[in-house]
Amino acid sequence: MMAGAQEQRLKLLGPGTGVSMYTIRVQMALCIKELSYDFLPEDPWSKSDLLLASNPVYKKLPVLIHTGRPVCESLIIVQYLDDAFAGNSTSILPTDPYSRAVARFWASYIDDKLFPSCIGILKTAKQHERADKVEETLAAFGLLEAALAECSKEGEAEALFFGGGSLGLLDIALGCYLPWIKAIGHLAAMPPFLDAARTPKLAAWAERFRAAEAVRALLPAEDKVEEYISTVLYPKWNAALTASATN
């Protein structure tokens, strides 16, 4: 590990559950950049004074604290780490401005479109709504399959990752969701979203990503995610539905 005075002041606030994809995303970036940090587990349902002071706008996790200053939102944190520690290890974002813009576009698409559609499959009991969410999710994966194919066109050989020969922003953005994607499919009694027949490039990418040394220890087991969805999220969703029905 490369440890300097600045690096020693890195602190990461995140849920202590071990399944938060957004916290895991930041941890992946810290590992890729070979940065040590102090992890400060938080209870997302009982917000600490430190969290409220560090993220007074959204009051959400994760939060990175560097030299006493907070950085919020996981994708922003990842990009901040790449800029603030540009000399550490490999770069997470492409050096070419257009390629950086494309990576940011797809990373936002994953957060704003793909995953909400995917987890939306579990949030409704209505069959037509569930079918719509499944269709949206499969369409989103189809677009990412094409995006990965474009990465291969830019080089002479088949791209191992969205970032080319090494993990990049888009790999981290999508890879942190892999245990959740698999858990959602299992709970919904569906065949895998990523398979060699429908999305061969993404299916092969997912296997390479899971095996990558920088991230494999950070990915939670799918059954742990399933337990979290069943014991924490389902009751939360049901309570929200009950409340809306009585209003």
Side-chain angles (χ1 to χ4, degrees), residues 19-22 24-26 28 74 110-111 171-180 205 209 219-220:
V19 299
S20 167
M21 68 287 283
Y22 305 115
I24 291 168
R25 175 184 286 170
V26 176
M28 288 176 176
S74 64
I110 290 165
D111 281 0
D171 297 289
I172 299 172
L174 180 58
C176 67
Y177 284 117
L178 286 177
W180 282 78
W205 165 85
F209 183 87
L219 291 170

Side-chain angles (χ1 to χ4, degrees), residues 39-77:
F39 181 70
L40 307 179
E42 290 272 340
D43 181 355
W45 314 115
S46 178
K47 304 180 191 300
S48 70
D49 291 340
L50 178 58
L51 172 58
L52 295 175
S54 301
N55 190 356
V57 178
Y58 291 115
K59 305 176 179 62
K60 291 165 60 178
L61 298 164
V63 175
L64 179 80
I65 300 176
H66 180 210
T67 62
R69 298 181 297 183
V71 184
C72 306
E73 299 294 310
S74 64
L75 284 178
I76 294 174
I77 295 171

Side-chain angles (χ1 to χ4, degrees), residues 1-156:
M1 289 288 180
M2 300 175 66
Q6 277 192 319
E7 181 184 326
Q8 293 304 315
R9 292 193 287 271
L10 283 170
K11 295 180 175 62
L12 178 62
L13 281 64
T17 59
V19 299
S20 167
M21 68 287 283
Y22 305 115
T23 300
I24 291 168
R25 175 184 286 170
V26 176
Q27 290 175 306
M28 288 176 176
L30 286 161
C31 190
I32 290 170
K33 299 300 290 184
E34 299 182 353
L35 297 165
S36 61
Y37 62 97
D38 295 325
F39 181 70
L40 307 179
E42 290 272 340
D43 181 355
W45 314 115
S46 178
K47 304 180 191 300
S48 70
D49 291 340
L50 178 58
L51 172 58
L52 295 175
S54 301
N55 190 356
V57 178
Y58 291 115
K59 305 176 179 62
K60 291 165 60 178
L61 298 164
V63 175
L64 179 80
I65 300 176
H66 180 210
T67 62
R69 298 181 297 183
V71 184
C72 306
E73 299 294 310
S74 64
L75 284 178
I76 294 174
I77 295 171
V78 170
Q79 295 172 67
Y80 172 82
L81 288 169
D82 203 39
D83 290 337
F85 298 94
N88 279 55
S89 188
T90 185
S91 178
I92 294 174
L93 277 87
T95 56
D96 172 64
Y98 178 76
S99 298
R100 290 167 76 93
V102 170
R104 286 170 173 148
F105 170 85
W106 284 114
S108 295
Y109 177 82
I110 290 165
D111 281 0
D112 298 340
K113 180 65 176 178
L114 187 149
F115 188 69
S117 296
C118 189
I119 201 164
I121 295 168
L122 299 181
K123 295 174 73 172
T124 179
K126 298 178 180 179
Q127 289 302 313
H128 69 281
E129 291 182 356
R130 175 172 285 202
D132 288 344
K133 292 300 180 184
V134 170
E135 184 177 350
E136 290 174 9
T137 302
L138 294 176
F141 279 124
L143 291 174
L144 286 170
E145 174 81 2
L148 184 55
E150 284 296 317
C151 292
S152 295
K153 288 181 182 178
E154 295 174 6
E156 296 181 358

Side-chain angles (χ1 to χ4, degrees), residues 160 199-209:
L160 295 176
T199 53
K201 292 184 183 298
L202 275 180
W205 165 85
E207 292 304 314
R208 290 192 295 269
F209 183 87

